[in-house]
């Protein structure tokens, strides 16, 4: 350590924020155990060839079944109708998923509504693949037509698009 | 070590990070919680110093631990078994990646803090604003340095990592760490002198 380094101020994270962060992190760890993630990856490799073959044989019939999201703490809002890397970076924003506390509601509509909020808040712009600051995006807060699908990892995802977009991406629609 | 009905229970507080990590990946989330407890403030400070924002650092801190978990594998521990150098390396990547925006949005929409007494809140806000002003003043100078030099300064000069640990985190030779830090300090001296002359 040296005075040359012009020492920054000493700060600490507030206790309530630490508690919230800890709860968030541990919830994620419990929902995504490492061993389960690895098993899922292997299973996906095994079945992917079959899925691809089915898609080629009949694109229209490849995926027509609605599927519920199994990951209950995350919702993805995409700015492009492109899945990207489902376990890594993707063109959009991830949200804590809410509204799944036992109330009878249309899950797909709720997911679309939540992502529409992001568009209205100018945090997403159609076609944008790299995030920027909110004021750089979608200056008018326009909300394009949105559809809700379910990713292969069980996360609910809302894409700009219309009926048929989920199928075009090889994804089931998010079950209501 | 605590005992319940004759069964010896593990005391996570006595274990190295490396051991805790293995426990966590074997299905003991509380072991990851112990790693979090040990390093949350160091990670927070690092995020604050790199981002210059207390709000961003709040969100980034969670993002760092989640990103660390997602990276998984067998993370490189320091000689004493600590994962802090690695976590600070993950933090460095997270801060300069899109995760910052992502988590800011999460917070904006869904993470309103719980209400607290006004006096406490006012004090905390004042402290945060004051600290932000100081770090942003400092970052005006630091951002004249090359990115790599900034990272070495933050890891060694501010977070106190050894040259060896910083070299491991950044994947460069120890000699490179030394030269980057030396160059960063020389440039900072020059910039500080210029600023004082200007005043």
């Amino acid at each position: 350590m040296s005075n040359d380094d012009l020492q920054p101020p000493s700060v600490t994270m507030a206790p309530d924020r630490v508690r919230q962060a800890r709860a968030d992190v541990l919830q994620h760890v419990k929902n995504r155990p490492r061993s389960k993630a690895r098993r899922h990856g292997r299973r996906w490799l095994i079945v992917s060839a079959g899925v691809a073959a089915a898609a080629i044989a009949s694109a229209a019939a490849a995926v027509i079944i609605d599927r519920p999201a199994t990951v209950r703490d995350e919702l993805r809002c995409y700015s492009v109708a492109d899945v990207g890397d489902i376990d890594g970076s993707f063109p959009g924003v991830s949200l804590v998923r809410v509204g799944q506390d036992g109330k009878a509601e249309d899950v797909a509509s709720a997911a679309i509504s939540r992502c529409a909020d992001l568009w209205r808040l100018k945090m997403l712009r159609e076609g944008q693949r790299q995030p920027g600051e909110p004021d750089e995006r979608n200056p008018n807060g326009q909300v394009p037509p949105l559809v809700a699908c379910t990713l292969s990892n069980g996360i609910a995802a809302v894409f700009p698009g219309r009926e048929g977009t989920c199928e075009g991406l090889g994804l089931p629609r998010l079950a209501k | 070590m605590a005992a319940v009905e004759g069964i010896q229970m593990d005391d996570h507080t006595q274990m190295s990070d490396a051991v805790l990590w293995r426990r966590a990946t074997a299905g003991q989330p509380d072991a990851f919680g112990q790693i979090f407890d040990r390093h949350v403030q160091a990670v927070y400070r690092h995020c604050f110093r790199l981002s210059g924002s207390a709000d961003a650092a709040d969100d980034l801190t969670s993002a760092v631990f989640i990103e660390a978990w997602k990276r998984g594998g067998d993370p490189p521990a320091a000689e004493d078994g600590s994962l802090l150098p690695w976590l600070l390396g993950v933090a460095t990547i997270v801060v300069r990646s899109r995760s910052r925006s992502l988590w800011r949005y999460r917070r904006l929409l869904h993470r309103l803090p719980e209400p607290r007494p006004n006096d406490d809140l006012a004090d905390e806000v004042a402290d945060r604003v004051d600290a932000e002003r100081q770090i942003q003043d400092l970052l005006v100078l630091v951002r004249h340095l090359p990115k790599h030099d900034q990272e070495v300064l933050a890891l060694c000069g501010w977070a106190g990592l050894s040259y060896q640990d910083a070299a491991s985190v950044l994947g460069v030779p120890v000699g490179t760490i030394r030269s980057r830090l030396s160059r960063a300090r020389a440039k900072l001296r020059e910039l500080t002198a210029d600023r004082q002359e200007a005043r």
Side-chain angles (χ1 to χ4, degrees):
Chain A
M1 199 74 73
S2 161
N3 287 335
D4 293 340
D5 296 337
L6 297 175
Q7 288 303 306
S10 179
V11 292
T12 55
M13 194 174 187
D16 62 331
R17 293 171 198 270
V18 170
R19 278 193 297 276
Q20 180 66 59
R22 192 181 199 278
D24 288 347
V25 169
L26 288 192
Q27 185 183 22
H28 184 92
V29 168
K30 287 170 183 168
N31 289 345
R32 306 276 183 86
R34 300 295 321 166
S35 53
K36 187 175 179 182
R38 284 195 293 273
R39 280 200 305 274
H40 179 83
R42 281 197 295 272
R43 187 170 63 241
W44 175 246
L45 280 174
I46 291 166
V47 302
S48 60
V51 171
I56 292 167
S58 176
V63 182
I64 56 171
I65 301 169
D66 292 2
R67 189 180 136 195
T70 54
V71 176
R72 303 181 69 84
D73 65 342
E74 184 175 351
L75 164 64
R76 293 187 181 177
C77 304
Y78 282 75
S79 54
V80 183
D82 178 356
V83 174
D85 176 4
I86 64 165
D87 292 320
S89 64
F90 66 94
V93 170
S94 183
L95 297 176
V96 174
R97 195 168 161 214
V98 295
Q100 297 292 299
D101 53 359
K103 294 176 188 168
E105 66 173 319
D106 181 336
V107 174
S109 296
I112 289 173
S113 171
R114 195 136 338 256
C115 288
D117 286 343
L118 280 185
W119 289 87
R120 275 189 284 274
L121 288 166
K122 306 171 188 176
M123 292 172 181
L124 291 172
R125 192 184 72 209
E126 194 165 6
Q128 188 169 17
R129 290 183 171 273
Q130 296 296 325
E133 296 301 313
D135 57 358
E136 296 169 358
R137 302 157 164 256
N138 187 7
N140 299 318
Q142 292 178 336
V143 184
L146 299 173
V147 292
C149 316
T150 304
L151 300 176
S152 60
N153 58 9
I155 294 174
V158 173
F159 295 91
R162 300 174 187 276
E163 191 171 345
T165 297
C166 294
E167 290 83 351
L169 293 169
L171 299 174
R173 293 184 299 263
L174 177 63
K176 293 183 177 179
Chain B
M1 195 81 72
V4 178
E5 295 181 350
I7 300 172
Q8 292 250 306
M9 303 296 286
D10 291 329
D11 181 355
H12 285 161
T13 63
Q14 303 299 316
M15 296 177 185
S16 73
D17 292 347
V19 172
L20 288 170
W21 181 273
R22 285 195 290 275
R23 296 280 176 120
T25 56
Q28 295 183 26
D30 288 347
F32 195 80
Q34 183 67 34
I35 295 174
F36 178 94
D37 293 341
R38 281 181 188 172
H39 302 307
V40 60
Q41 294 296 353
V43 169
Y44 173 78
R45 280 192 293 274
H46 192 63
C47 292
F48 173 77
R49 291 162 181 169
L50 293 179
S51 70
S53 163
D55 276 346
D58 282 340
D59 297 339
L60 287 163
T61 299
S62 300
V64 167
F65 282 95
I66 288 176
E67 180 65 24
W69 179 250
K70 284 165 68 177
R71 284 170 179 248
D74 193 11
E79 283 186 5
D80 61 357
S82 172
L83 291 178
L84 180 59
W86 176 68
L87 285 169
L88 296 183
V90 173
T92 302
I93 294 167
V94 167
V95 171
R96 70 182 179 211
S97 76
R98 73 191 200 124
S99 298
R100 174 178 176 175
S101 299
L102 187 157
W103 282 79
R104 183 191 300 158
Y105 302 155
R106 287 181 65 150
R107 176 181 169 74
L108 177 66
L109 292 174
H110 300 292
R111 289 294 146 89
L112 297 178
E114 294 172 8
R116 283 170 296 159
N118 286 339
D119 288 349
D120 289 351
L121 186 59
D123 287 347
E124 184 191 316
V125 169
D127 289 346
R128 285 161 74 95
V129 168
D130 192 43
E132 280 186 342
R133 193 176 297 125
Q134 289 179 53
I135 190 66
Q136 286 167 8
D137 193 39
L138 179 51
L139 288 176
V140 167
L141 294 181
V142 170
R143 284 176 179 154
H144 283 86
L145 307 176
K147 277 280 180 199
H148 291 317
D149 295 4
Q150 292 180 33
E151 291 171 359
V152 172
L153 178 71
L155 289 170
C156 295
W158 295 349
L161 289 196
S162 69
Y163 293 166
Q164 182 64 53
D165 285 341
S168 173
V169 163
L170 297 176
V172 298
V174 172
T176 302
I177 297 294
R178 288 183 193 279
S179 61
R180 285 180 184 172
L181 189 57
S182 173
R183 186 172 57 205
R185 285 171 168 164
K187 182 67 176 175
L188 275 181
R189 276 196 298 272
E190 184 185 316
L191 291 168
T192 307
D194 288 349
R195 175 187 273 188
Q196 286 171 346
E197 274 182 26
R199 286 174 180 168

